[in-house]
């Protein structure tokens, strides 16, 4: 069985992989740099609470997914994907130029505009890349390609955040940030130039520019395809779950582990590497088949290691003098910390086993003519679930007054209930989805 890394030899895969990797990388350099600037500089200059500014930034980035995902799906179904991607990457260059001006002159309103525009850029690119894969890949390459894409996205997010942290520590940091996001945008556009032509799936489609009616009709269409509807709910649950955990990492690194900034990066690395390895192994575990057989293992792992994280964190006894923050090497010397690290790694690993089969199923069973619109509907639900995760965490931690370890345990227990519901529904509807797909191929 050939390795999925052989796909990098083919331009039809590698060009889109590096285009999406650089896009996610740039997103996270810009977002994280902006959050650090807002936290350490802008809040005091503007006389505003850090939490208000950071939550505003998060909302502005997610808002375009609500507004434009359905429209983006229509456009990706109607037009040829390589030219469309190149156009969107040119827009990224313009957006990053706006961001650079905002950073250099410390015009925070302009940076918020750039953040909204980058969210919009990501919204329009998402349906293209996920509808592109089943068009460009052979059927026995789809799981491996999705595994590599998921690995690339996880690493791009992590490395982007690390690079942003390094850049903000340099002298003249705002100039370094500006130059970096512009250079990465240029490389993203150059990568997009190598994407081969992919014919439009529905060139005669008449686009509805009304974002409200378009969104409603796209969601209604998804609901008419029960298997895909539950696949999308499963995808969105992953984003709810991941956001619930990863948002809390800085706080539990500092408050529970008494760790410094290096500990935050280390914990994020453990989770991201776990997701990457789990994603890559999906190809071997499923023998290249688009299958849900790994889903129960992913669901079980996400619950087992979340509940164990509660017990491992609760059992920790960390005494520090004079409020000294510990580094990664210091924590390795503390009894019980290794168990925390193992839990986080296997949470990510289980997430990889969970999400890759769902993305591959969404692509394989979505009607060809509506594939990008199904991805657009998926993005709408992802955004809803991510916002819900923030509200959920606030209710658990602030309203109910539970601790961070208790939040992780509650999330793990909820995952058992949701996972069982999801698996039952998917198994109920998959036969009909397979028949529909076979009928479509026969036409």
């Amino acid at each position: 069985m050939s390795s999925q890394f052989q796909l990098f030899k083919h331009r039809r895969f590698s060009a889109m992989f590096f285009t999406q990797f650089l896009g996610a990388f740039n997103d996270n350099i810009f977002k994280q740099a902006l959050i650090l600037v807002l936290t350490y500089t802008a809040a005091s200059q503007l006389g505003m609470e850090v939490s208000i500014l950071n939550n505003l930034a998060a909302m502005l980035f997610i808002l375009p997914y609500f507004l434009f995902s359905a429209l983006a799906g229509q456009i990706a179904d109607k037009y040829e994907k390589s030219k469309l991607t190149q156009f969107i990457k040119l827009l990224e260059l313009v957006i990053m130029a706006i961001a650079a001006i905002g950073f250099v002159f410390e015009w925070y309103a302009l940076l918020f505009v750039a953040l909204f525009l980058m969210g919009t850029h990501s919204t329009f690119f998402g349906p293209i890349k996920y509808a592109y894969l089943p068009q460009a890949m052979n059927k026995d390459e789809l799981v491996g390609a999705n595994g590599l894409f998921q690995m690339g996205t996880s690493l791009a997010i992590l490395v982007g955040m690390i690079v942003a942290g390094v850049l903000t520590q340099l002298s003249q940091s705002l100039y370094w940030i500006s130059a970096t996001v512009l250079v990465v945008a240029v490389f993203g556009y150059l990568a997009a130039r190598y994407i081969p032509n992919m014919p439009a799936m529905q060139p005669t489609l008449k686009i509805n520019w009304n974002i409200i009616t378009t969104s409603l009709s796209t969601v209604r269409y998804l609901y008419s395809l029960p298997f895909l509807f539950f696949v999308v709910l499963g995808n969105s649950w992953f984003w709810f779950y991941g956001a619930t955990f990863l948002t809390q990492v800085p706080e539990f690194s500092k408050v529970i582990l008494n760790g410094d900034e290096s500990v935050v990066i280390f914990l994020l690395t453990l989770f991201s590497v776990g997701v990457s390895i789990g994603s890559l192994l999906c190809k071997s575990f499923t023998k290249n088949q688009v299958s849900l057989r790994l889903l129960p293992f992913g669901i079980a792992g996400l619950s087992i290691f979340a509940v164990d994280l509660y017990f491992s964190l609760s059992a920790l006894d960390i005494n520090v003098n004079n409020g000294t923050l510990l580094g990664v090497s210091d924590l390795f010397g503390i009894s019980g910390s290794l168990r925390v690290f193992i839990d986080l790694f296997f949470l990510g690993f289980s997430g990889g086993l969970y999400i890759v089969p769902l993305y591959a199923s969404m692509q394989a069973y979505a009607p060809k003519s509506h594939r990008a619109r199904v991805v657009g509907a998926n993005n709408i639900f992802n955004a809803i679930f991510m916002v819900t995760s923030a509200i959920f965490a606030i209710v658990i931690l602030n309203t109910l007054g539970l601790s961070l370890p208790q939040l992780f345990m509650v999330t793990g227990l909820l995952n058992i209930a949701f996972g069982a519901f999801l698996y039952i529904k998917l198994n109920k509807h998959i036969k009909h989805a397979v028949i529909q797909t076979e009928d479509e191929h026969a036409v």
Side-chain angles (χ1 to χ4, degrees):
M1 188 189 301
S2 63
S3 164
Q4 62 242 63
F5 289 101
Q6 297 291 319
L7 288 172
F8 282 108
K9 294 180 178 178
H10 303 287
R11 187 160 64 96
R12 60 190 164 89
F13 175 81
S14 57
M16 182 58 86
F17 176 88
F18 287 111
T19 301
Q20 72 91 28
F21 178 89
L22 290 166
F25 179 54
N26 219 16
D27 269 356
N28 285 277
I29 294 175
F30 174 55
K31 279 194 300 182
Q32 188 68 10
L34 179 57
I35 286 170
L36 291 170
V37 167
L38 292 176
T39 301
Y40 293 103
T41 308
S44 58
Q45 288 183 3
L46 299 174
M48 295 177 69
E49 291 287 333
V50 171
S51 60
I52 292 174
L53 286 173
N54 285 347
N55 284 321
L56 177 62
M59 184 192 73
L60 280 173
F61 190 81
I62 292 174
L63 184 59
Y65 287 91
F66 287 111
L67 297 177
F68 306 127
S69 285
L71 179 61
Q74 286 185 87
I75 291 171
D77 275 332
K78 181 175 174 65
Y79 295 104
E80 192 276 318
K81 292 180 180 62
S82 65
K83 296 291 187 293
L84 196 54
T85 303
Q86 290 162 24
F87 176 72
I88 288 171
K89 288 291 146 184
L90 276 177
L91 289 181
E92 183 185 354
L93 263 172
V94 174
I95 295 164
M96 288 297 98
I98 293 169
I101 294 168
F103 276 124
V104 169
F105 292 99
E106 297 184 50
W107 292 343
Y108 300 114
L110 193 61
L111 285 170
F112 279 127
V113 169
L115 185 65
F116 177 80
L117 292 174
M118 271 307 277
T120 303
H121 157 272
S122 298
T123 300
F124 279 88
F125 182 52
I128 297 171
K129 67 178 180 181
Y130 284 117
Y132 172 91
L133 278 182
Q135 211 176 335
M137 301 295 111
N138 298 322
K139 191 174 180 182
D140 64 353
E141 295 172 331
L142 194 55
V143 174
N146 272 282
L148 288 168
F149 260 53
Q150 194 60 50
M151 175 205 72
T153 301
S154 297
L155 295 181
I157 291 169
L158 175 68
V159 178
M161 292 172 70
I162 293 172
V163 168
V166 171
L167 293 175
T168 53
Q169 298 304 307
L170 300 175
S171 60
Q172 302 293 318
S173 60
L174 297 178
Y175 287 93
W176 279 107
I177 295 165
S178 302
T180 302
V181 294
L182 279 168
V183 168
V184 174
V186 169
F187 279 112
Y189 172 71
L190 292 176
R193 300 268 304 176
Y194 287 91
I195 297 172
N197 247 16
M198 282 294 144
M201 297 311 295
Q202 200 174 353
T204 59
L205 175 67
K206 184 173 171 55
I207 292 176
N208 179 359
W209 296 94
N210 184 320
I211 58 176
I212 296 173
T213 58
T214 301
S215 298
L216 290 174
S217 64
T218 300
V219 171
R220 270 198 302 270
Y221 175 74
L222 178 68
Y223 190 70
S224 73
L225 303 168
F227 177 74
L228 288 172
F229 176 74
F230 288 109
V231 165
V232 165
L233 283 188
N235 284 342
S236 299
W237 175 256
F238 176 77
W239 289 101
F240 173 97
Y241 194 96
T244 302
F245 275 79
L246 295 183
T247 303
Q248 317 309 324
V249 165
E251 187 175 348
F252 99 71
S253 297
K254 184 177 180 182
V255 175
I256 299 176
L257 301 180
N258 288 287
D260 59 18
E261 292 88 344
S262 67
V263 174
V264 178
I265 296 300
F266 177 67
L267 296 183
L268 291 172
T269 301
L270 281 174
F271 187 86
S272 299
V273 170
V275 171
S276 299
I277 294 174
S279 299
L280 289 175
L281 288 176
C282 284
K283 175 180 180 287
S284 300
F285 289 155
T286 61
K287 295 182 170 56
N288 285 342
Q289 300 301 307
V290 176
S291 164
L292 297 175
R293 72 180 71 141
L294 290 179
L295 195 60
F297 297 99
I299 292 166
L302 287 172
S303 288
I304 290 167
F305 294 106
V307 173
D308 194 66
L309 186 60
Y310 162 76
F311 288 111
S312 59
L313 288 173
S314 300
L316 276 181
D317 183 22
I318 299 177
N319 294 311
V320 287
N321 299 319
N322 306 320
T324 306
L325 294 177
L326 305 174
V328 175
S329 57
D330 300 320
L331 281 173
F332 268 106
I334 292 172
S335 175
S337 63
L338 183 60
R339 184 175 163 191
V340 174
F341 301 154
I342 290 170
D343 284 337
L344 266 176
F345 172 83
F346 279 105
L347 271 174
F349 182 85
S350 303
L353 297 184
Y354 174 92
I355 195 63
V356 169
L358 288 175
Y359 266 117
S361 296
M362 180 175 70
Q363 294 161 8
Y365 294 114
K368 289 181 181 178
S369 60
H370 286 67
R371 195 177 274 144
R373 274 167 284 179
V374 168
V375 178
N378 175 71
N379 290 343
I380 293 172
F381 279 97
N382 287 354
I384 292 169
F385 273 60
M386 287 173 72
V387 170
T388 305
S389 82
I391 297 168
F392 170 73
I394 290 167
V395 169
I396 294 291
L397 297 173
N398 300 102
T399 307
L400 299 180
L402 300 185
S403 66
L404 282 175
Q406 287 170 329
L407 169 67
F408 299 149
M409 182 175 68
V410 170
T411 308
L413 294 175
L414 277 177
N415 182 69
I416 296 173
F418 181 86
F421 163 79
L422 178 69
Y423 194 64
I424 290 167
K425 290 292 186 182
L426 289 174
N427 274 329
K428 177 182 175 182
H429 294 293
I430 190 167
K431 286 182 182 176
H432 183 61
V434 170
I435 292 168
Q436 279 187 320
T437 306
E438 287 173 349
D439 290 345
E440 185 184 25
H441 287 305
V443 173

